[in-house]
Amino acid sequence: MNEARSRQVVIAGAGIAGLTAALAFAEHGHAVTVLEQASQLEAVGAGIQLSPNATHILSRLGALDRLRPSAIRPEAVVLMDAATLRELARVPLGQTGEDRWGAPYLVAHRADLQAALTAHVTEHPEIQLVTGARVTDVTVQPQNIAVTAETDGVGLKAAGGLLIGADGVWSSVRRLLADREPAFGKERFSGELAWRATAAATSAAGQAFAAIAAGDCVTALLHPGFHMVAYPVSEGSAFNLAAFTRGERIAEGWSGHADPAILAGAMRGTSPALARLVALAGPWTAFPIHTVEQARWTMPDGVALIGDAAHAMTPFAAQGAAMAIEDASTLAGLVAEFGGDPRQNLTTWENLRRPRIEKVLRRGALNRLAWHAWGPVAIARNLVLATRPAEKLAADMDWLYGWEQQKVVRR
Ligand SMILES: Cc1cc2nc3c(=O)[nH]c(=O)nc-3n(C[C@H](O)[C@H](O)[C@H](O)COP(=O)(O)OP(=O)(O)OC[C@H]3O[C@@H](n4cnc5c(N)ncnc54)[C@H](O)[C@@H]3O)c2cc1C
């Protein structure tokens, strides 16, 4: 493969993974083309928690300064019993967390994160972002990967030494290459629904929220079969609510609808103050949580899946976007460190990356078990949390939030 072609990177998808990958590869001197199916980059969903392992990378790539003015640095993560509204545990964040993990724990509106990344990408001379371009075909050739995208019914061609599938949980790249790479998998409905709403801090819902939880924290309200996470966004002018229940599969997409009776049913037995907040905070949108587990994320011919396209996970550890950001940065870093043909490094990257993703998946499963516990298990959980000092709860997260990208020294 000639040098210029091998340095050309094509990215499918301009979500958090794709935009971060564009910045990370451009940082190392690659020419990058990003193909995004949406004609306008609109942020779907509402809020997002960005733990220090993610903000550390955003800071290095220069995107954090743009996000900081609208993001909030919460003082703590507070776990509460949704029935009694009693505080069960408090993990300190704020300045204590920033000093501990070397970067801030932030909460933000997704639109603000998307805008910060997009502004940075569009200013970069080595990155071409094409919106309204849906990837419809991928051909793996000995010399390069050829990608076809549809733009207004017209075919657009792009080619490079590396194709990065950053096109989310319902990845087209994964699907288009499934015949050629049988180890690529499929998304699966997890049996859970994520319910989302935002409300102005000054609204009736905002006042109902203030009666339950502190406005400067991330609050998780725990109940058997249900939990809700709440935190401020948009400089504190609004707050974001995300609730999680079991539920039937609904149409794919971030802003779907499900029967509100499911949410009300899952909340049976919670505090009336919480029920009032949920009633005032609508309209609620619902998202069917899908996961992706697959034997491989890369093809040695020059294709790498990152973010949700590779390993979409349940949101119980609030790490899907953070892992997408880590994927993007580690992949670009490894390709730069090893030099030469980027295709040769994909297996190494995947092997290095898998143990961390698997550990995060285990953490998410543990959170799910603990947060939805009932009866004796919930009592035991509450006892453990009550006796564990805040400093120890923070130390439990060092492996995750204090992570820093390591260089891999070639043997
Ligand atoms: C309720 C909920 C709460 C969450 N909270 C958190 C949290 O607090 N912290 C956290 O870290 N993570 C969180 N996550 C997870 C996080 O949202 C995802 O992991 C993250 O958005 C994945 O980013 P991505 O770029 O891989 O995929 P996406 O954001 O889905 O982006 C994929 C992009 O590819 C584009 N695309 C798709 N197909 C094509 C095609 N054929 N051609 C071109 N473009 C295409 C799409 O339009 C989209 O722009 C949460 C998830 C849920 C459901």
Side-chain angles (χ1 to χ4, degrees), residues 16-51:
I16 295 165
L19 292 172
T20 311
L23 291 171
F25 273 92
E27 185 191 32
H28 292 295
H30 291 266
V32 181
T33 303
V34 186
L35 302 169
E36 165 58 44
Q37 67 178 2
S39 45
Q40 279 193 318
L41 286 183
E42 290 164 348
V44 281
I48 191 144
Q49 302 181 57
L50 288 168
S51 48

Side-chain angles (χ1 to χ4, degrees), residues 12-18 35-38 41 44 47-50 110 114 133-136 166-173 194-196 231 242 244 254 287 289 306-309 312-313 315 318-324:
I16 295 165
L35 302 169
E36 165 58 44
Q37 67 178 2
L41 286 183
V44 281
I48 191 144
Q49 302 181 57
L50 288 168
R110 277 168 191 260
Q114 187 91 6
R134 190 166 68 87
V135 172
T136 51
D167 49 350
V169 59
W170 294 286
S171 167
S172 300
V173 171
W195 301 78
R196 292 171 167 254
Y231 51 83
F244 302 87
W254 283 91
F287 173 81
I289 299 173
I306 64 170
D308 278 9
M313 51 185 71
Q319 283 293 312
M323 289 303 114

Side-chain angles (χ1 to χ4, degrees), residues 99-332:
D99 293 344
R100 178 174 200 108
W101 296 304
Y105 193 111
L106 299 179
V107 289
H109 198 288
R110 277 168 191 260
D112 296 330
L113 173 60
Q114 187 91 6
L117 288 168
T118 309
H120 221 53
V121 158
T122 46
E123 275 173 11
H124 203 297
E126 292 300 330
I127 306 175
Q128 188 196 10
L129 171 61
V130 189
T131 53
R134 190 166 68 87
V135 172
T136 51
D137 192 42
V138 176
T139 310
V140 178
Q141 304 171 149
Q143 287 307 308
N144 64 28
I145 315 282
V147 180
T148 307
E150 251 177 45
T151 51
D152 284 333
V154 181
L156 178 144
K157 305 265 183 214
L162 202 57
L163 167 64
I164 298 180
D167 49 350
V169 59
W170 294 286
S171 167
S172 300
V173 171
R174 200 177 63 222
R175 210 174 41 241
L176 290 166
L177 290 169
D179 285 347
R180 194 178 166 111
E181 179 49 85
F184 281 179
K186 281 192 178 145
E187 69 281 356
R188 278 217 332 248
F189 178 53
S190 67
E192 316 259 353
L193 296 178
W195 301 78
R196 292 171 167 254
T198 42
T202 51
S203 66
Q207 284 157 23
F209 175 67
I212 293 175
D216 60 353
C217 291
V218 175
T219 305
L221 294 132
L222 316 185
H223 192 63
F226 156 89
H227 82 273
M228 180 187 287
V229 180
Y231 51 83
V233 291
S234 308
E235 299 173 67
S237 64
F239 66 92
N240 174 70
L241 295 173
F244 302 87
T245 67
R246 302 291 300 169
E248 297 287 311
R249 186 181 185 146
I250 55 168
E252 293 173 5
W254 283 91
S255 305
H257 293 282
D259 184 354
I262 299 171
L263 182 55
M267 289 182 65
R268 205 165 293 130
T270 60
S271 153
L274 188 57
R276 187 174 134 73
L277 167 62
V278 168
L280 288 169
W284 289 81
T285 58
F287 173 81
I289 299 173
H290 283 68
T291 57
V292 176
E293 280 176 52
Q294 50 191 344
R296 290 205 61 90
W297 310 330
T298 59
M299 285 170 62
D301 323 62
V303 180
L305 303 174
I306 64 170
D308 278 9
H311 44 64
M313 51 185 71
T314 58
F316 296 107
Q319 283 293 312
M323 289 303 114
I325 290 168
E326 285 189 10
D327 282 353
S329 178
T330 51
L331 181 59

